[in-house]
Amino acid sequence: MIEELLRSRRSVRRFKPDPVPAEVVERLLDLAVTAPSASNKQPWRFVVVERRATIDEMAAAVRAARARIEAAIPEGSREAVAAYGEYFTRFERAPVVVVPIHRPLPLLSTLADGRLDDADASAVAQMERDSALVGTSLALMNLLLAAHAEGLGASAMTGPLIARAEIARILGVPPGWDIVAVVPLGYPDEVPAATERKSAAKVTRTIR
Ligand SMILES: Cc1cc2nc3c(=O)[nH]c(=O)nc-3n(C[C@H](O)[C@H](O)[C@H](O)COP(=O)(O)O)c2cc1C
């Protein structure tokens, strides 16, 4: 069951215009927040965007950032970069866009209060940041799988974060919180082909 779910999930980027009932979105988020998190601090929040004008505004911000970035790319690579950048706005036709955000928990760094040497201070700060990001990413994976189990399509997207600051402003993300990804959600209007994976054996090193 879990194997079938994991193996059949695909990133969906084309959606039917049909709205997703609010209770379905709520159920998916209820499942998302069953994820584990460091010290069970649940460092996540979710911004659910259903308003078409807001999704359009987010997409426009990503296009503007893309145009700025593409203008800085040398002529020879610009076409390839433009094709890649097409994927950054693939959330815009979804009826719902979920934006998971996270906040680091500066517990050790606050207690140590500047008394750590640079190496330990940097390791502690990174641990605190990454813990929140990892926990929220696990909740995001739950969301993708729960959506798939429900017959919905979804995709994690970080490409749109080239416009991170603009999207945070559009969504009113509070200071101290950071966007993890943009997640379009809707009834699939495509059956994406299976994607290749390197075998686990190829990407694993076992220390015995
Ligand atoms: C962290 C992350 C960021 C991604 N960003 C984008 C994106 O910006 N645009 C997009 O179309 N797909 C994005 N994807 C989807 C990947 O392209 C997709 O997961 C990968 O090609 C494997 O395909 P599959 O998910 O269908 O197995 C992202 C996936 C992850 C995990």
Side-chain angles (χ1 to χ4, degrees), residues 5-177:
L5 198 63
L6 290 169
R7 290 196 188 280
S8 60
R9 184 212 52 81
R10 296 273 75 81
S11 290
V12 171
R13 305 177 180 87
R14 288 180 206 279
F15 304 91
K16 298 193 169 118
D18 317 20
V20 181
E23 61 272 20
V24 172
V25 177
E26 276 165 32
R27 189 161 59 237
L28 299 182
L29 290 171
D30 269 347
L31 292 170
V33 300
T34 63
S37 62
S39 307
N40 196 23
K41 290 297 179 193
Q42 303 162 57
W44 47 66
R45 297 289 183 274
F46 300 88
V47 183
V48 177
V49 189
E50 295 176 348
R51 195 194 296 140
R52 171 59 29 210
T54 302
I55 297 173
D56 289 347
E57 203 184 340
M58 291 165 64
V62 175
R63 287 210 166 80
R66 255 187 65 190
R68 291 194 301 273
I69 292 164
E70 277 171 32
I73 303 287
E75 193 73 53
S77 309
R78 209 172 282 169
E79 210 172 306
V81 169
Y84 174 52
E86 275 297 307
Y87 282 87
F88 296 177
T89 46
R90 291 290 167 91
F91 62 88
E92 72 183 325
R93 291 288 140 242
V96 182
V97 174
V98 178
V99 180
I101 59 177
H102 75 101
R103 178 172 60 175
L105 181 75
L107 178 65
L108 286 181
S109 50
T110 304
L111 291 174
D113 194 24
R115 288 181 292 269
L116 295 176
D117 68 25
D118 286 354
D120 282 337
S122 153
V124 165
Q126 180 165 4
M127 180 276 275
E128 290 174 341
R129 243 187 354 262
D130 289 357
S131 295
L133 177 61
V134 169
T136 309
S137 300
L138 295 173
L140 163 50
M141 187 67 209
N142 277 0
L143 177 66
L144 297 183
L145 289 173
H148 178 46
E150 186 89 29
L152 283 153
S155 174
M157 295 191 176
T158 51
L161 300 184
I162 56 168
R164 179 186 292 279
E166 292 95 324
I167 293 176
R169 181 192 57 75
I170 292 164
L171 300 181
V173 172
W177 291 83

